[in-house]
Amino acid sequence: MIVAAILTGAIQSALDPAGEHAEKIARLWSVFLWVTAIVYVLVMIALVVALIRRRAAPPPTDATATTAVSVATGATVLILFGLLIASIFTGRGIAGVPQKMMQIKVTGHQWWWQVEYEEADRSKQITSANEITIPVGVAVNIRLQSPDVIHSLWVPNLAGKRDLIPGHDGSMVIKADRPGVFRGQCAEFCGEQHAKMSLWVNALPAADYAKWAEAERMPSKIPSTAEERKGEEVFLNSPCPLCHSILGTEASGKNGPDLTHFASRRSIAAATLPNRRGDLGAWITDPQHIKPGNQMPPMLLAKGDLDPLITYLESLK
Ligand SMILES: [Cu+2]
């Protein structure tokens, strides 16, 4: 647990559960750990005893040897059977689905996550990327889709893995029991940039979630300075809108992440870079250097266009 905490700051750890499902999995993990640890210690003791006895006592008779092997075999079968039962119960506990749920659709793309908050009223639907924001204490049903290859959504602090399979919608339920920021990762090799296909889950107290959702439903912020206006112009007059949407402008491309509230997100390109000015410039200028093979081509911008473009994108709170 300490090693996991050092490696991830416990923001991506199955051993620091923040939700019901992850807790059941962590409990099963502890059962396995303790049972196998005890077996290991007993085997080591038996080994040491045998080594010492070899010198002192006469060799065991055939009968005692047979009994010892039978007892050990019986104990092994019983222990494995017990662990199997524990696994089955954990699986069942996780499959139990609560009644009233919020719906979110997550689509895995090579190599980023599209996140849509499904509402009966389509005009209220929020579309985002690489970040799932949920209210604490509310069960969220996540519908899983993939248009390209098999991905797998894994946010270890909250739940187990679940595959996203092309042509076959899946789903999983997550619920956070405490506020926090948790890191998730694609857990099924999906091509060259599989390792850079991560995401964040923000679990917010209900009131903060409501505030967040209200802001996300709004169209993008209207540029308020000359620099921002220039940036918007650069964006709309370059190939960016072919792939990116910004609600409130003509940009409605669907091949890349929605950028309507890009500046409110933590990172760039599926948690590959922090969302900071310099990193954004590096990404736009040469995304292929940062994430080779990804679906965004390098952009040739006219001299003097990059700065206003960054200013504009970073104003999209
Ligand atoms: Cu993937």
Side-chain angles (χ1 to χ4, degrees), residues 108-113 148-152 164 185-191 193-195 197:
H109 295 273
Q110 281 173 317
W111 292 279
W112 58 282
W113 308 89
D148 42 46
V149 299
I150 301 178
H151 303 275
S152 182
L164 292 77
Q185 173 75 45
C186 181
E188 177 78 44
F189 181 72
C190 59
Q193 289 304 332
H194 161 67
M197 184 169 169

Side-chain angles (χ1 to χ4, degrees), residues 231-287:
E232 185 187 47
E233 218 169 89
V234 171
F235 185 90
L236 294 174
N237 291 318
S238 73
C240 321
L242 292 175
C243 299
H244 295 287
S245 292
I246 297 183
L247 208 66
T249 73
E250 290 148 34
S252 57
K254 298 282 178 231
N255 301 325
D258 185 292
L259 299 177
T260 307
H261 297 286
F262 170 69
S264 69
R265 297 207 284 266
R266 212 172 288 277
S267 56
I268 301 170
T272 300
L273 296 172
N275 193 351
R276 288 187 308 221
R277 220 186 141 83
D279 294 286
L280 182 57
W283 172 259
I284 294 171
T285 321
D286 197 358

